[in-house]
Amino acid sequence: MDDLAERVAAGDRRALARAVTLVESTRLDHQEQALALLDQLRGLDRQALRIGLSGTPGVGKSTFIEAFGMMLVKAGLRVAVLAVDPSSARSGGSILGDKTRMDRLSREKGAFIRPSPSSAALGGVARRTREAISLCEAAAFDVVLIETVGVGQSETMVAQMCDLFVLLLAPGGGDDLQGVKRGIMEMADIILVNKADGDLKTTAIRTVSDYASALMLLRKRPQDPDDFPKALAVSAVEGGGLDQAWAEMQALADWRKAEGHWDRTRAAQAAHWFEQEVREGLLARLTQDAEIKAQMRNSAEAVARGEATATAAARAILKQLR
């Protein structure tokens, strides 16, 4: 672990890939090694700009990330992309293969792309995305882009691990406005309407206006300056609007740092993930303890036969954890 920690801290991408594999592993020995590795790297206290990116299916998230990442790399920044793919029910592996869809960015020395299967985890992110972000920061990456599975009712956990949340939408206006849940719009810091090129450019500009008007109706958040959240038009294919979007992201991040929101948000996120780890640890005990597993199986059969209610049987099991 000492050698691996040194290589990660030096920015070695191969070592970083190995470290992410380690934290994603479900083997108990790997989990212990991952804890030791993260503890060694914790003292580096490096912070990257964490940007969560979500969007409707087919909006061009991967195309946008590649174009946006290439722009940042050319500006001298080191960019890490954590692309969370839906998982195969048969093998557990990623379905979409985002790394193969960002071939230009994957060849850049200043970039690191890691596709991870969601493994049925809710919230649009993989089970250990938070630890993967910490590893990317330890490896001195300046920007970490977290691409989520896609817009859905459980697409919320990414907001608990990023500094900025960007919602990517396609031109369309009314139908899209109805199709996207209000909850995810309330979380968005910046809405980017992609595909603002060719025949769709006029429609994209009109869609930006629609969303700008909709954002004005939302409740004001304390972590936003007066002109945020906002909607912008971008073209991942032609590169239009990407520099403006980056400037707005930097402006918002700088304002939050100056006003103290950055540190408070990260502290609140750390507390949230502590509570999440406790919950998941309790659930793990239910599945790993042989005696409790047997009791759960017997209780489930009793509930199925109508001999006990689900609530009473569950409470009886939970008492075993005390």
Side-chain angles (χ1 to χ4, degrees):
M1 289 302 101
D2 291 340
D3 176 65
L4 184 59
E6 289 180 6
R7 291 169 57 200
V8 169
D12 186 326
R13 292 188 298 172
R14 288 181 178 272
L16 177 57
R18 181 185 169 194
V20 174
T21 299
L22 196 63
V23 300
E24 290 180 345
S25 175
T26 56
R27 283 178 43 175
L28 293 179
D29 57 333
H30 287 177
Q31 291 176 6
E32 292 298 324
Q33 293 173 4
L35 286 175
L37 175 64
L38 290 167
D39 190 58
Q40 290 187 52
L41 295 172
R42 182 167 51 86
L44 293 176
D45 193 27
R46 295 173 177 171
Q47 289 191 344
L49 178 58
R50 307 170 182 174
I51 303 174
L53 184 74
S54 184
T56 51
V59 73
K61 292 193 296 292
S62 297
T63 305
F64 170 81
I65 288 176
E66 180 170 53
F68 187 63
M70 290 293 294
M71 181 190 72
L72 297 180
V73 168
K74 289 178 180 178
L77 299 175
R78 302 186 73 226
V79 180
V81 179
L82 302 177
V84 183
D85 279 353
S87 297
S88 166
R90 176 174 297 180
S91 67
S94 299
I95 290 176
L96 298 179
D98 282 291
K99 194 167 186 177
T100 61
R101 297 156 67 202
M102 304 180 194
D103 58 316
R104 288 188 302 136
L105 186 60
S106 65
R107 293 195 295 267
E108 291 290 335
K109 292 183 178 180
F112 173 78
I113 303 177
R114 175 72 183 209
S116 298
S118 60
S119 302
L122 294 179
V125 292
R127 173 72 175 81
R128 289 296 174 187
T129 299
R130 181 174 52 87
E131 285 85 351
I133 293 172
S134 298
L135 290 171
C136 291
E137 290 186 322
F141 281 88
D142 302 297
V143 179
V144 180
L145 299 172
I146 307 111
E147 180 192 3
T148 65
V149 171
V151 170
Q153 290 183 341
S154 64
E155 191 76 3
T156 55
M157 288 177 64
V158 67
Q160 294 291 344
M161 60 178 67
C162 64
D163 304 310
L164 304 178
F165 183 59
V166 176
L167 182 60
L168 199 65
L169 300 175
D175 291 339
D176 282 343
L177 199 58
Q178 295 298 323
V180 178
K181 300 295 183 182
R182 172 170 174 155
I184 201 164
M185 284 188 62
E186 291 175 332
M187 291 189 302
D189 297 307
I190 298 176
I191 291 178
L192 298 180
V193 179
N194 192 24
K195 303 183 180 181
D197 48 59
D199 296 337
L200 288 175
K201 186 170 184 178
T202 302
T203 306
I205 294 174
R206 185 169 59 249
T207 303
V208 168
S209 178
D210 291 341
Y211 279 106
S213 299
L215 289 172
M216 292 177 64
L217 300 177
L218 299 179
R219 183 179 301 175
K220 183 67 177 175
R221 306 180 306 183
Q223 71 268 30
D224 293 332
D226 292 337
D227 54 344
F228 280 89
K230 61 176 56 178
L232 303 168
V234 297
S235 170
V237 174
E238 297 181 353
L242 297 182
D243 53 350
Q244 182 187 358
W246 174 235
E248 297 289 0
M249 293 178 197
Q250 288 180 297
L252 180 56
D254 291 343
W255 185 88
R256 287 179 174 174
K257 288 179 181 179
E259 296 295 322
H261 293 292
W262 177 286
D263 292 333
R264 285 195 294 270
T265 298
R266 287 214 168 186
Q269 288 174 349
H272 167 82
W273 286 106
F274 160 72
E275 295 175 359
Q276 190 71 17
E277 285 293 331
V278 173
R279 293 190 188 97
E280 292 178 356
L282 290 173
L283 289 174
R285 285 189 59 187
L286 292 175
T287 59
Q288 293 172 1
D289 188 292
E291 182 178 348
I292 293 178
K293 283 177 66 176
Q295 291 178 359
M296 286 186 64
R297 184 168 55 252
N298 294 334
S299 296
E301 293 174 355
V303 170
R305 292 191 299 267
E307 299 172 357
T309 65
T311 302
R315 288 183 176 178
I317 293 294
L318 292 174
K319 287 181 180 179
Q320 304 298 318
L321 299 178
R322 294 180 180 176

